[in-house]
Amino acid sequence: MAKKDLRPEDYSADPAAQMMLIRAEELGIGTAFTRANDMSPCNIGGAGMCCKLCGMGPCRLTKDGQTGVCGATIDTIQARNLIRAIAAGSAAHSDHGRDMAFTLKAVANDQTEGYVIRDVAKLRTVAGYYGIPIEGRHPKEIANDLADLYIAQFGQQRGQVVLTKRAPAKRQKLWSENGVVPRGIDREVVEALHRTHIGDDQDPEHILSHAVRTALADGWGGSLIATDISDILFGTPAPVLGQANLGVLKEDMVNVVVHGHEPTLSQMIVAASQDPEVIEYAKVAGATGVNLAGICCTANEILSRQGIPAAGNFLHQELSILTGAVEAMVVDVQCVMQALVQLAENFHTKVITTSPKVRIKGATHIEFDEKHALTVAKNILKTAIDNFKNRGKVHIPQIKETLVPGFSHEYINYMLGGSYRASFRPLNDAIMSGRIRGVAAIVGCNNPRSKQDWLHTYVTQKLLMEDVLVVETGCGAIASAKLGLMLGEAGLEKVGPGLREVCETVGIPPVLHMGSCVDNTRILTVLTQIVEEGGLGDDIDMVPAVGLAPEWMSEKALAIATYCVASGAYVIFGGSSPVGGMPDKVEDSDLVLNDIGEGWEGIYGGKLEFVKDADEMIRRTLEHIDKKRAALGLPVYEPTRFGRSGDARMLEVEALPLSEKRAALYGTPSLN
Ligand code: BF8
């Protein structure tokens, strides 16, 4: 397909991104935006119709009835491709969880530098789920036992990943009846690879059933371990003021952008950046200090906990370097573009890899080691400070938005009822009455195949007007933050009247930032607590809620979608389907598509669909929410029923003549 003539505003909805894309063009530098435009995606591989699992292929199935050299049908090939992606996504998130468990073990045994157990209450709560003794024990003793239990979940061979017991009882029974309870996290990932080797599992439905088991090992296993331990070690998020977009970079400071996923290093860099010795070192170098900013989920981790600003989401990683103001981009694992190093050669930016698992040719490698975490973090910052003198002209777009992130499961529970009566009751009641029509979790990536942030923010804004409470994680959360949808009560005039009343009463933004991508597990545990609170059914599939990833691109997103579906959620992905087939050419290529849609819905009550059109995503979301409301016997949603109280109404009343105020306020005739 010919390259399209696209303008910056066609590439991104974000004005800061548009400015940097103009700059890139002036400099003749390509980015993911232009590379995507230059190279059309392969329509055979993209639709899951290419099998390259053995040396007899790759086999491309483009004709009706065609099979691979071994006889594999299109359905088998699509199912294999999908489960491999889900296994890779699960492996990525869960391996992150494993590293967190090892860190917890090391902290418990005084083998680290700089870490402490910050949230002892969460440690005790989590340990309590598994019967680990708490009373009279030192937090480190409890942490040691919890770390051992969590580490064991990865290599466990039989039984049940212990975290699945935190799902609603009915859901656990359903998983058990369908043979998808994960036995051990690594075991399910390995088995997914085994089953898809040449000559193994060839029944598409059987393969997809194991895809569910693998994804559950992530959502109710590795990812949940990552979230639990991050909270225990670094603090459970609570609302904090933050900022997002490239305007957070500072001209007079050494800018260090931390990018990737695991909070172990980034948290230590936060601590090191506040060290007087490091600040003094920066001053000697001619800067006023060190300015930290995050990209991708690392951004979400430190934004949610310390309010460290986010420079942007996935497609901002190259754009931040293009400002010329970044002394070092420090990366660990996942979602790091190889293009960064070559791009950085046009500027003074040092790309620093830190994980023993990830190297990029041309990057500086300073390996992170939890035993010397603070020392390594200081070394990294000093390397960045030493680079300040090499900085040339800078172009920082003066664009940033303020936001309030930090809505963890625990904080939502607290904010609804306060310390003495923390509860989800007010949320359940608001949904039951129809003040809140339902809940949408809008999560996931940026993808240069669609206009950056546009789908995210369009869908978010439209659903807010329909009284749908929105929770967000990952790059989707940063998209909303950059475009100003996450600031307290600001912007509530664009929110449906019932939802607005709830936001004003509780004092929350209508879009709740719930953290990074591993923190999608917070959405699972929130849904579980909603179920346990009562009034909205006895399992997750009964709650009027939908998950959306409008701009997805990563294999992790497919794993997340699958565990959410298996937990009972309706999940809508934007963009193209990895198992879409080519409908005009291969008539029988929709078995897998049907299986993950209606097939999974029949078993788990949740389904996965790929929908390109934004308005159709919204229509299906609302239809699903209303269907679930009706099934629960809740009142039909009425857009004008609520909104007669709250700030908006008070302003209206204020404007009335005195003679009408009393009636307006109390429904009684005026005394005058
Ligand atoms: O894990 S949303 S682009 S950064 S994969 Fe990556 Fe996608 Fe962003 Fe976080 Ni999640």
Side-chain angles (χ1 to χ4, degrees):
M1 199 194 293
K3 182 177 165 177
K4 287 189 222 140
D5 195 13
L6 295 177
R7 298 159 303 165
E9 57 270 36
D10 299 319
Y11 283 125
S12 178
D14 177 343
Q18 293 166 13
M19 287 170 74
M20 294 323 297
L21 288 169
I22 292 169
R23 176 86 185 127
E25 198 173 355
E26 283 166 4
L27 297 172
I29 294 174
T31 62
F33 296 88
T34 54
R35 289 190 296 273
N37 191 28
D38 290 345
M39 183 171 61
S40 304
C42 167
N43 59 1
I44 300 169
M49 304 171 81
C50 173
C51 181
K52 51 185 179 64
L53 298 185
C54 82
M56 295 189 287
C59 299
R60 291 156 299 153
L61 272 53
T62 56
K63 300 189 184 94
D64 291 340
Q66 197 179 12
T67 67
V69 174
C70 71
T73 63
I74 181 70
D75 303 323
T76 301
I77 288 170
Q78 287 184 320
R80 282 179 182 159
N81 286 332
L82 183 60
I83 193 177
R84 283 208 162 202
I86 290 167
S90 300
H93 266 162
S94 295
D95 206 32
H96 167 170
R98 181 202 323 270
D99 284 343
M100 296 305 303
F102 280 129
T103 303
L104 183 66
K105 175 82 181 168
V107 173
N109 290 279
D110 298 321
Q111 291 165 348
T112 60
E113 181 194 29
Y115 298 111
V116 292
I117 296 170
R118 274 204 198 285
D119 194 339
V120 176
K122 177 137 190 183
L123 169 68
R124 290 165 68 93
T125 303
V126 173
Y129 295 142
Y130 313 115
I132 293 172
I134 297 166
E135 293 315 323
R137 300 183 81 203
H138 192 280
K140 284 185 184 167
E141 288 178 272
I142 304 170
N144 185 59
D145 287 358
L146 181 64
D148 283 342
L149 179 74
Y150 274 179
I151 290 166
Q153 302 312 302
F154 293 91
Q156 183 170 284
Q157 302 304 318
R158 295 194 182 85
Q160 166 177 8
V161 169
V162 71
L163 295 96
T164 57
K165 294 185 177 152
R166 287 159 66 179
K170 194 173 167 192
R171 185 73 13 194
Q172 291 180 52
K173 188 161 171 282
L174 183 70
W175 292 336
S176 180
E177 286 164 0
N178 285 281
V180 294
V181 177
R183 296 155 293 187
I185 299 164
D186 293 354
R187 179 168 183 186
E188 308 313 345
V189 173
V190 168
E191 190 170 314
L193 295 179
H194 178 188
R195 286 190 191 213
T196 51
H197 184 271
I198 167 75
D200 276 304
D201 200 358
Q202 290 154 34
D203 175 342
E205 281 159 12
H206 194 237
I207 294 170
L208 292 172
S209 168
H210 188 68
V212 166
R213 196 177 208 177
T214 308
L216 286 173
D218 176 23
W220 292 93
S223 279
L224 188 47
I225 288 174
T227 299
D228 280 349
I229 298 178
S230 299
D231 287 354
I232 290 166
L233 287 179
F234 308 123
T236 301
V240 58
L241 205 59
Q243 291 184 319
N245 218 336
L246 294 170
V248 305
L249 298 174
K250 301 223 164 82
E251 206 159 339
D252 58 344
M253 296 180 90
V254 174
N255 290 304
V256 177
V257 173
V258 281
H259 168 25
H261 283 79
E262 294 180 358
T264 33
L265 171 63
S266 52
Q267 289 288 337
M268 212 41 77
I269 291 184
V270 172
S273 71
Q274 290 152 8
D275 187 301
E277 176 199 331
V278 171
I279 294 169
E280 188 50 37
Y281 195 75
K283 286 187 175 156
V284 171
T288 58
V290 176
N291 178 44
L292 281 191
I295 291 273
C296 281
C297 282
T298 292
N300 287 318
E301 298 279 356
I302 54 179
L303 175 68
S304 304
R305 294 195 173 89
Q306 285 91 11
I308 302 291
N313 44 8
F314 177 68
L315 284 175
H316 265 41
Q317 57 189 285
E318 291 176 291
L319 306 184
S320 63
I321 292 180
L322 272 156
T323 63
V326 175
E327 274 58 54
M329 178 170 278
V330 185
V331 305
D332 57 9
V333 295
Q334 302 165 26
C335 303
V336 179
M337 290 188 194
Q338 189 168 353
L340 291 179
V341 172
Q342 211 192 334
L343 175 73
E345 282 167 7
N346 296 287
F347 305 91
H348 73 307
T349 307
K350 271 189 191 302
V351 177
I352 302 176
T353 52
T354 57
S355 167
K357 294 170 200 158
V358 174
R359 298 245 180 154
I360 307 175
K361 274 223 178 309
T364 304
H365 189 73
I366 303 179
E367 194 149 307
F368 174 66
D369 163 14
E370 65 205 5
K371 291 192 184 71
H372 310 104
L374 193 57
T375 307
V376 174
K378 282 187 193 172
N379 282 346
I380 289 171
L381 291 185
K382 284 184 178 169
T383 305
I385 294 167
D386 289 342
N387 196 23
F388 184 64
K389 62 178 180 297
N390 299 320
R391 188 192 274 188
K393 213 164 176 313
V394 302
H395 290 78
I396 303 173
Q398 294 307 312
I399 296 174
K400 61 185 175 191
E401 284 287 347
T402 307
L403 75 148
V404 181
F407 291 91
S408 54
H409 175 159
E410 290 80 355
Y411 190 81
I412 295 173
N413 195 36
Y414 163 75
M415 79 188 184
L416 290 170
S419 299
Y420 298 107
R421 49 189 170 85
S423 158
F424 269 58
R425 193 69 255 155
L427 177 63
N428 281 30
D429 285 345
I431 296 172
M432 289 166 70
S433 66
R435 244 190 194 90
I436 293 178
R437 185 173 183 174
V439 181
I442 306 180
V443 306
C445 323
N446 284 147
N447 185 332
R449 299 282 171 206
S450 69
K451 180 171 168 172
Q452 184 196 17
D453 298 342
W454 185 83
L455 274 171
H456 274 300
T457 50
Y458 180 81
V459 172
T460 299
Q461 284 167 299
K462 290 281 179 185
L463 289 177
L464 291 177
M465 285 160 66
E466 298 287 342
D467 288 306
V468 174
L469 176 70
V470 176
V471 299
E472 298 195 346
T473 62
C475 289
I478 301 176
S480 285
K482 285 189 297 170
L483 298 181
L485 300 175
M486 286 184 169
L487 176 60
E489 295 184 4
L492 279 181
E493 70 281 358
K494 293 187 189 138
V495 168
L499 175 61
R500 179 178 179 154
E501 276 183 347
V502 174
C503 291
E504 285 170 350
T505 307
V506 183
I508 52 167
V511 183
L512 302 182
H513 186 307
M514 291 191 75
S516 63
C517 271
V518 289
D519 294 335
N520 282 312
T521 59
R522 298 193 201 277
I523 298 171
L524 295 180
T525 55
V526 160
L527 286 168
T528 301
Q529 195 168 340
I530 286 175
V531 166
E532 284 166 358
E533 185 60 46
L536 291 172
D538 59 359
D539 199 355
I540 293 173
D541 64 328
M542 300 180 78
V543 179
V546 177
L548 299 108
E551 299 177 28
W552 80 279
M553 64 86 199
S554 78
E555 291 169 314
K556 288 180 290 175
L558 291 170
I560 293 163
T562 307
Y563 71 63
C564 286
V565 169
S567 301
Y570 174 28
V571 177
I572 301 173
F573 268 35
S576 60
S577 164
V579 292
M582 292 199 294
D584 299 341
K585 295 200 174 144
V586 182
E587 282 169 5
D588 57 356
S589 67
D590 53 4
L591 184 141
V592 171
L593 213 50
N594 289 338
D595 212 45
I596 62 176
E598 285 165 23
W600 279 353
E601 188 174 31
I603 304 170
Y604 305 109
K607 59 182 170 178
L608 173 57
E609 289 180 345
F610 293 84
V611 180
K612 278 187 200 295
D613 180 70
D615 290 312
E616 180 60 13
M617 279 183 215
I618 293 159
R619 191 194 67 73
R620 290 193 199 188
T621 299
L622 295 174
E623 183 182 70
H624 183 81
I625 284 173
D626 290 344
K627 192 174 88 184
K628 293 293 169 185
R629 293 187 63 85
L632 287 166
L634 300 179
V636 175
Y637 165 74
E638 280 177 43
T640 53
R641 180 151 173 235
F642 296 102
R644 307 314 295 164
S645 65
D647 297 352
R649 178 61 181 152
M650 289 316 292
L651 288 175
E652 272 176 36
V653 172
E654 256 326 288
L656 291 174
L658 192 61
S659 57
E660 293 172 31
K661 270 188 187 165
R662 186 181 175 88
L665 281 173
Y666 308 114
T668 51
S670 167
L671 292 178
N672 298 328

